[in-house]
Amino acid sequence: MCLQHNNFSLRLKLLVIFIMQMAADLVLSQLHYLVQEESKHGTFVGRIAQDLGMQISDINSRRLRIVSKDGTDYFQVNLQNGILFVNKVIDREELCPKISICTVQLEIIVDKPVQIHHVDVEIEDINDNYPVFSSNEFKLFISEMKLPGSYFPLEGAVDADVGTNSITNYELSTSDYFTLDVQTYTQKSKSIQLVIKKTLDREQNPAHNLTLTAYDGGKPKLRGSTHLHITVQDVNDNAPRFDQLYYVVSLLENALKGTVVTKLNASDPDEGENSEILYAFNKLVPQQVTSVFNIDESAGIIRVVGEVDFEKQNLYEIEVDAVDKGHSAMTGHCKILVNILDINDNEPELTVTSLNVPVPEDSSVGSVVAVISVLDRDSGLNGKVDCHISKNVPFKIISTLREYFSLVVDGPLDRERISEYEIEITATDKGSPALSVTKLIKVPISDVNDNPPTFLQTSQTISIKENNPPGSHVYTVYAFDSDISQNSFITYSIIDSSIDGIPISSYISINPENGKVFALLSFDHEQLTHFQCQIKATDTGLPPLNSNLTLYVFIEDINDNVPAILSQFSNIESRLLEKVARSAKEGQLLTKIKAIDADSGYNAWISYEFKDPARNIPFAIGSQTGEITVIRSLDESSTDEYRLSVILKDNGDPIMSSTVSLVILLVESGQELPEERKTQNRNNDDFSDANIYLILSICLISTVFLITLISYTILRWHKYTQEINELKQHNFCSSIAGSWTYSQQRQYKVCLNGGPPKNDLILFTPSYPQTGDAISANGSLASDSTGQPRHPHPDWRYSASLRAAMQGAVHVEGAAILRGPPVGLEQQWPTVSSATPEPEGGEVSPPVGAGVNCNSWTFKYGPGNPKQPVPQIPPDFPENFIIPGSPAIISIRQDQPSTQSQKSNFITFGKKEETKKKKKKKKGNKNQDKGNNPADNSDQ
């Protein structure tokens, strides 16, 4: 009874431990499914997506997948409906040969966002295995001295199934002497004993043949049987007995060889050899136990002889026999349970379950990069693991679920700065001493389009020679992009714009792949000197980025235009016709050839020279100015006409030239060809297109000036009226200048070429006879015999040196009309057309021609007019006097001409209030008058 009670208590304890272990396993699992072993492929297991609360449509987008901890693929998930199904036939006995509850642990991983769910699939056993005995026949030797109730351990059958499908009971064939006693310690631990019902009598029945049958609890029940051949022995009738039938021992793993596990003690009531006991492992003990433990047969001490590893096996069941030395040896039996205690002898196992690389450089903080599984085969604190990563990286590691950790982004990423990170992940357990493992993973950073194409400069300047062939390559632009792959592929384009209404695409084009710029047409520097365009570089990223380059294009001039004389300078069919008086002096300027070249720069510098000049021509031409001057006296010339060819050369490479014909006619003073005058008048009336714009501009400016001047005149009119009324009491001396009178209006200054204006109006008096020519005391000029003022001699001739400037810009200034109050318009200043052909007259040179001040009048006496003495002004004659009836002041100055034989008197008309200013300018006017002498004009 005591033995049965102990067995019941032991079985109860084992049952409680087993139930608690099952409950703990179920709690640790989020989902638990049950499927029978040997299920066919496609067998339904469970609705994973529905049980996890996921929508069917989100399975693919969130990248649901299944991972088995042991790497098997017994199960798969249908991504269309979220059903977990059997992928491969499972043999529970092969998968879990020593575990009563066979569970396949699965990890359901969802990547977007990262989630991990644990799923335990329990493999339900089916009754597909028969109970099997190790042998078809067992031989037993039993002494006849055994008393009824004696029992003998039998080797039980083995059923690979578990639970109710495992062996539930044994049956023994009918016998009067033997019965079967089955003791259950745990679900899988049963003790089968053959019990003697009554005393054996070897003489009556020396042997017994029985059949032992094992039944399992499955449906239908399966069975297996073996034969027991029992031999009844005589002699020794007492078997050794252990002090305990059941021993429980604890042993640290990795125990050294020779470590004592326990010492057994058995006793035999017999005497002599029948009481001497030998200890040995039961023959039913498997080899995996005998390779680890050994027993001393005489002392009963069990020692460690092999490797003890908690992770391989944490519990050993050892059957020990105690055999006496009697003639008929008797055996006592006991069982030893050796529990292996864990120590921290296993490093954590670190596995990267999911690695989402490369990581985009614009990933937000918290983005999951990798899921890491850390497993430590130790138990307790020895199996608990913490993870950490290397410092100074924009990542961190966080714990997610059980032994899983996530590597997440913890800072900004920039692929252009660091394209790949090497992260050391260290897993350390909490054992003592702690063990750790380190794993290096590489996390490449993928590129995003965050850098626009960049030009080395924001603007570039290039030059293209004109007359380039259309389609020629003129320049190559280059931009670089810090990104890579597709984000760094750059295409070039020209931003739409126009030049004078013409699209820029008509001028240039660009290769979008290599940035080569091509000229689509042949440029002409004379039509287009420069332009600019915008070139855009765009990458192919999403979204695309771009930047602009301003390209300044200058058209470089080449020498492709021949020098040409200005049309207004040629008078007869591209032929220059010039006449010169035979009396022209050496060094006198005859004319100036004005030519232009449509090119620019050095290509437009023109030089002039005579083509094959004769040695005896009396003319020379300035190589740079084109001025033709007299180099020797013309009186010695025997011909009246010179036909010269002037070569116009530019300074380009190669040099281009043209030729113009020049005809020089030698004439006497006052002689002019009518045909030439008509041609000159006709040429003067011709205007080029360029002159039209110039004339329009001058007219516009003159109109504004006249409006301003009229406004000013109206404001000042009242003051002038008062001054005139005060001066009416004086009488105007009409003998001073004849019909040349000074009007009451202010003199107008007309300046067409920007020369400095003059406020003085200077009257040049002709040469008067020495006798009878004097200025009266009241300020009147000397008169002739008829009492009229002496008129200048009609034979004044203007200097031939001024003809060279007649083709230049016109500068007319200070041309005032003298009017007398009672007379009106009497006579204007002499013009070129007013010269008379009288042989005895003089000639006046009017202020016409380029750069000639109109105040500079040059008087020249003809060859038939002897130089006449100039009347001397009395020293007591007042310098300033007032003309009666006029608001003007007459200032008389006497200047010494360049030669002692020629003298002129100057009478200056001006306003009263400007008298002082005229005095200050007297010295300057004298110098100017000197420059207007015929001798000085030769230098012009």
Side-chain angles (χ1 to χ4, degrees), residues 924-939:
N925 292 335
K926 291 179 179 181
N927 296 332
Q928 184 177 1
D929 295 336
K930 292 179 179 181
N932 293 330
N933 288 328
D936 297 331
N937 290 339
S938 63
D939 296 333

Side-chain angles (χ1 to χ4, degrees), residues 11 155 290 307 344 451 481 525-526 534 561 622 711 804 841 897:
R11 284 181 288 178
E155 180 180 356
T290 58
E307 180 183 2
N344 193 26
N451 291 282
D481 197 318
H525 174 80
E526 287 72 42
Q534 296 283 334
N561 289 281
S711 301

Side-chain angles (χ1 to χ4, degrees), residues 577-770:
L577 180 63
E578 196 67 39
K579 72 174 184 175
V580 60
R582 288 185 177 272
S583 60
K585 302 297 183 180
E586 180 179 350
Q588 180 176 336
L589 176 65
L590 298 182
T591 185
K592 180 176 182 181
I593 298 176
K594 185 66 174 180
I596 61 172
D597 193 317
D599 297 322
S600 61
Y602 287 96
N603 298 328
W605 287 11
I606 301 175
S607 61
Y608 306 85
E609 64 181 29
F610 287 132
K611 180 180 179 181
D612 300 329
R615 294 182 179 180
N616 58 349
I617 62 172
F619 308 107
I621 186 170
S623 61
Q624 301 299 327
T625 61
E627 295 178 348
I628 298 177
T629 57
V630 179
I631 58 175
R632 61 184 176 83
S633 176
L634 300 179
D635 294 335
E636 303 173 0
S637 177
S638 61
T639 181
D640 295 334
E641 178 180 331
Y642 289 91
R643 294 184 177 271
L644 304 175
S645 295
V646 179
I647 299 177
L648 312 178
K649 294 183 179 180
D650 58 24
N651 198 36
D653 186 15
I655 296 175
M656 303 190 74
S657 63
S658 62
T659 305
V660 62
S661 298
L662 175 64
V663 177
I664 299 178
L665 300 178
L666 300 183
V667 297
E668 298 298 333
S669 297
Q671 181 181 357
E672 184 178 6
L673 296 177
E675 294 81 1
E676 177 185 353
R677 179 180 302 174
K678 294 179 181 179
T679 303
Q680 290 180 354
N681 293 336
R682 183 177 66 252
N683 292 337
N684 290 333
D685 293 337
D686 294 338
F687 294 99
S688 63
D689 294 338
N691 290 338
I692 292 176
Y693 294 108
L694 179 62
I695 293 173
L696 292 176
S697 301
I698 294 175
C699 292
L700 180 61
I701 296 173
S702 301
T703 302
V704 176
F705 172 74
L706 289 176
I707 293 174
T708 305
L709 187 60
I710 292 172
S711 301
Y712 178 77
T713 304
I714 293 174
L715 294 176
R716 300 290 295 177
W717 181 258
H718 182 66
K719 182 177 180 181
Y720 295 155
T721 304
Q722 292 179 352
E723 293 177 355
I724 293 172
N725 293 332
E726 293 176 358
L727 295 176
K728 284 183 178 180
Q729 59 185 352
H730 301 284
N731 293 325
F732 179 79
C733 182
S734 60
S735 64
I736 294 178
S739 62
W740 294 355
T741 59
Y742 181 75
S743 68
Q744 297 178 3
Q745 299 178 0
R746 297 193 53 173
Q747 63 179 357
Y748 291 85
K749 296 181 290 295
V750 181
C751 180
L752 298 182
N753 69 343
K758 303 296 181 178
N759 290 329
D760 294 342
L761 179 60
I762 304 175
L763 300 182
F764 295 82
T765 60
S767 299
Y768 295 97
Q770 291 181 350

Side-chain angles (χ1 to χ4, degrees), residues 755-915:
K758 303 296 181 178
N759 290 329
D760 294 342
L761 179 60
I762 304 175
L763 300 182
F764 295 82
T765 60
S767 299
Y768 295 97
Q770 291 181 350
T771 59
D773 292 342
I775 300 176
S776 61
N778 60 358
S780 62
L781 292 175
S783 59
D784 56 8
S785 58
T786 60
Q788 299 294 332
R790 184 182 299 276
H791 191 278
H793 198 279
D795 196 23
W796 292 354
R797 302 186 181 273
Y798 57 92
S799 173
S801 64
L802 293 179
R803 292 176 54 84
M806 292 178 65
Q807 306 298 334
V810 179
H811 180 193
V812 180
E813 179 180 358
I817 300 174
L818 300 181
R819 298 176 182 270
V823 179
L825 179 59
E826 295 292 333
Q827 182 177 351
Q828 296 183 349
W829 288 101
T831 62
V832 175
S833 60
S834 63
T836 59
E838 297 178 8
E840 297 298 324
E843 184 177 31
V844 60
S845 178
V848 294
V852 181
N853 193 329
C854 66
N855 285 336
S856 301
W857 289 76
T858 303
F859 294 91
K860 177 182 176 182
Y861 295 95
N865 295 324
K867 297 179 180 180
Q868 302 177 12
V870 178
Q872 300 296 324
I873 301 175
D876 58 348
F877 194 82
E879 183 178 0
N880 298 323
F881 66 93
I882 299 175
I883 299 176
S886 173
I889 299 175
I890 297 178
S891 176
I892 299 178
R893 299 179 305 192
Q894 183 176 3
D895 294 338
Q896 297 296 330
S898 57
T899 59
Q900 294 297 329
S901 60
Q902 247 182 346
K903 292 184 181 180
S904 307
N905 290 333
F906 299 91
I907 302 176
T908 302
F909 289 78
K911 298 187 304 181
K912 286 183 178 181
E913 55 268 31
E914 296 182 10
T915 302

